[in-house]
Amino acid sequence: MALIEAASPHTMNTYGRVPIALSHGQGSRVWDINGKPYLDALAGIAVNTLGHNHPKLVPALQDQIAKIIHSSNYYHVPNQEKLAAKLVEISGMTNAFFCSTGLEANEAAIKLARKFGHDKGIERPQIVVYEKAFHGRSIATLSATGNEKVQKGFGPLVEGFIRVPLNDIGALKAATEGNKDVVAVFFETIQGEGGINPMRIEYLQQVRLLCDQRGWLLMIDEVQCGMGRTGKWFAHQWAGIVPDVMPLAKGLGSGVPIGAVVAGPKAANIFQPGNHGTTFGGNPLAMRAGVETLRIMEEDRLLQNAAEVGGYLKDALTRELGSVKGFKEIRGQGLMIGMELDKPCGALVNRAAEAGLLISVTADTVVRLLPPLIFTRAEADECVGILAPLVKAILAE
Ligand SMILES: *Cc1c(COP(=O)(O)O)cnc(C)c1O
């Protein structure tokens, strides 16, 4: 057995890691460097949309790597326009900007909102953000994040954020009453790191209406809940609304680093040459990954699969665990599922890995499942078969 645990003396100590290293994968299955197999119910935190070694994606990426990996935004990158056109088609919005990560997409959204304000003569624009939100770990995005653990030690935080609770339109109105400096409302449709906390459909519709009435931008962070995971392209589409600004990343390139911010008519022309940019964003490899990922998702009907298998998995977990003492609630939609227990359950991550299943625990007490969108019913059964006894055991301790 290769020893992993204490094997990183030169790497910064930024992660509490599971003591395994993955060597390769096939579909929803991965193997570690000792040859042990695991069922992947995490997909690299909602990144490996198509699972591992997808037979349609891999040859396309090999072809791209052999042609050109990176060129520069000094030049046109044809697949930027192709991917932007596809994102526009599936979102009902108008233009996209490409970057490489989720926090970068959110930084771009925050900059858009601030310039939207400045263009209207608002000198100190303010953005409404939410309790338990997660938007990334840059200084601006950690300031927008609603988690003291993420913020502690990194002050002074960036100003210009007003924080409100989820799903409470009265609280949103009260917190912004008479405030002429508000420019945007910014949230995740289903909070990921915060514990799989969904915004209610009617709340989404109420906020859309309020943003229209007040002239604010509605900015929806779909970095984790987007890209087909809930059974629609974007989770807010269940409410029949369209945002003004939508940051994307994680699943968009099925493993290749990629981010995007998609904008509707109110926000599409705010940035002018010189206002924003990035070296890696939109490079030929990432764009090919995005174009092919979306094409394969459509060809293989993965939105339908996410809805079907996700519903099946949630039902099976509810049947097995719903009435167990200490099991509080199951939340989420499609292949984005959280199970809240009445106690911290971080120990489940290693125990599940030992038993051959990759999962995560977030917000201390929430078991989180984010399988690849190719997950099958048989794999859902296998996942429940491994996970349910572990959850019962930890609840009984
Ligand atoms: C992961 C995540 C981010 C940050 O993305 P990075 O690529 O890690 O910077 C932002 N918002 C949400 C909702 C996320 O889940």
Side-chain angles (χ1 to χ4, degrees):
M1 287 272 284
L3 274 178
I4 299 298
E5 210 156 1
S8 300
H10 300 103
T11 307
M12 280 198 198
N13 187 23
T14 44
Y15 305 103
R17 299 189 205 252
V18 179
I20 61 174
L22 302 178
S23 121
H24 62 284
Q26 185 62 54
S28 300
R29 194 85 43 191
V30 288
W31 284 262
D32 72 16
I33 57 175
N34 295 313
K36 176 176 170 177
Y38 303 83
L39 179 64
D40 185 1
L42 188 59
I45 320 181
V47 169
N48 299 306
T49 306
L50 305 177
H52 304 273
N53 194 24
H54 193 284
K56 293 179 185 169
L57 181 66
V58 171
L61 294 182
Q62 284 169 333
D63 170 69
Q64 186 61 49
I65 286 169
K67 281 181 175 149
I68 189 165
I69 296 172
H70 177 84
S71 53
S72 165
N73 286 308
Y74 273 15
Y75 317 108
H76 288 277
V77 178
N79 272 337
Q80 280 188 15
E81 185 52 32
K82 193 164 177 189
L83 183 55
K86 190 68 199 175
L87 289 172
V88 162
E89 176 200 316
I90 63 180
S91 67
M93 299 168 77
T94 59
N95 293 79
F97 169 84
F98 294 107
C99 51
S100 309
T101 66
L103 81 78
E104 254 189 296
N106 285 331
E107 285 275 347
I110 292 165
K111 282 181 70 175
L112 276 175
R114 285 189 166 194
K115 187 149 187 301
F116 174 75
H118 282 272
D119 290 349
K120 289 201 291 189
I122 297 170
E123 277 174 23
R124 303 188 71 75
Q126 297 192 313
I127 300 171
V128 177
V129 293
Y130 285 73
E131 291 171 0
K132 296 187 271 184
F134 182 84
H135 297 297
R137 292 175 180 276
S138 65
I139 295 294
T141 58
L142 76 81
S143 300
T145 287
N147 178 345
E148 278 164 20
K149 276 194 209 154
V150 173
Q151 297 174 335
K152 196 164 178 280
F154 300 107
L157 299 183
V158 171
E159 58 182 309
F161 295 108
I162 300 170
R163 198 166 304 282
V164 299
L166 286 78
N167 290 317
D168 185 342
I169 195 73
L172 172 57
K173 286 181 178 161
T176 54
E177 170 116 53
N179 186 337
K180 297 264 184 291
D181 291 336
V182 175
V183 290
V185 179
F186 186 28
F187 56 77
E188 304 150 77
T189 313
I190 303 175
Q191 291 182 334
E193 306 305 301
I196 313 295
N197 308 309
M199 294 291 186
R200 284 199 308 268
I201 299 265
E202 98 201 7
Y203 183 77
L204 293 166
Q205 293 164 344
Q206 287 167 333
V207 177
R208 175 68 276 181
L209 193 65
L210 192 68
C211 285
D212 289 340
Q213 288 166 348
R214 306 269 168 99
W216 303 337
L217 296 177
L218 176 57
M219 310 207 298
I220 306 189
D221 179 348
E222 291 263 349
V223 167
Q224 189 165 147
C225 58
M227 298 327 302
R229 183 154 289 283
T230 66
K232 294 219 186 260
W233 284 112
F234 308 108
H236 66 261
Q237 290 175 330
W238 290 101
I241 61 165
V242 181
D244 300 305
V245 177
M246 176 173 67
L248 299 173
K250 290 199 166 86
L252 178 55
S254 201
V256 176
I258 183 171
V261 58
V262 189
K266 278 206 243 168
N269 298 310
I270 294 172
F271 284 158
Q272 294 300 313
N275 286 153
H276 198 59
T278 162
T279 300
F280 288 120
N283 87 16
L285 177 61
M287 292 301 98
R288 185 73 182 268
V291 166
E292 301 290 348
T293 297
L294 294 183
R295 183 181 64 78
I296 297 164
M297 286 177 74
E298 279 187 329
E299 260 178 35
D300 294 1
R301 299 169 48 86
L302 294 186
L303 270 58
Q304 289 91 328
N305 191 66
E308 276 167 31
V309 176
Y312 178 81
L313 176 57
K314 197 173 175 186
D315 287 349
L317 289 164
T318 307
R319 244 190 341 268
E320 279 293 319
L321 294 167
S323 56
V324 176
K325 190 165 171 291
F327 186 92
K328 285 177 77 176
E329 194 182 24
I330 185 161
R331 296 189 290 266
Q333 194 159 5
L335 289 171
M336 181 174 193
I337 297 176
M339 296 182 286
E340 184 170 353
L341 311 186
D342 71 349
K343 59 164 73 164
C345 57
L348 280 175
V349 174
N350 281 357
R351 291 184 197 176
E354 273 163 35
L357 175 69
L358 302 185
I359 60 160
S360 92
V361 167
T362 192
D364 290 335
T365 56
V366 180
V367 181
R368 177 173 54 166
L369 302 177
L370 299 164
L373 304 194
I374 57 164
F375 221 52
T376 63
R377 285 182 177 227
E379 287 162 345
D381 286 336
E382 187 183 340
C383 175
V384 176
I386 299 172
L387 187 56
L390 296 174
V391 172
K392 285 178 190 164
I394 208 165
L395 285 174
E397 280 168 15

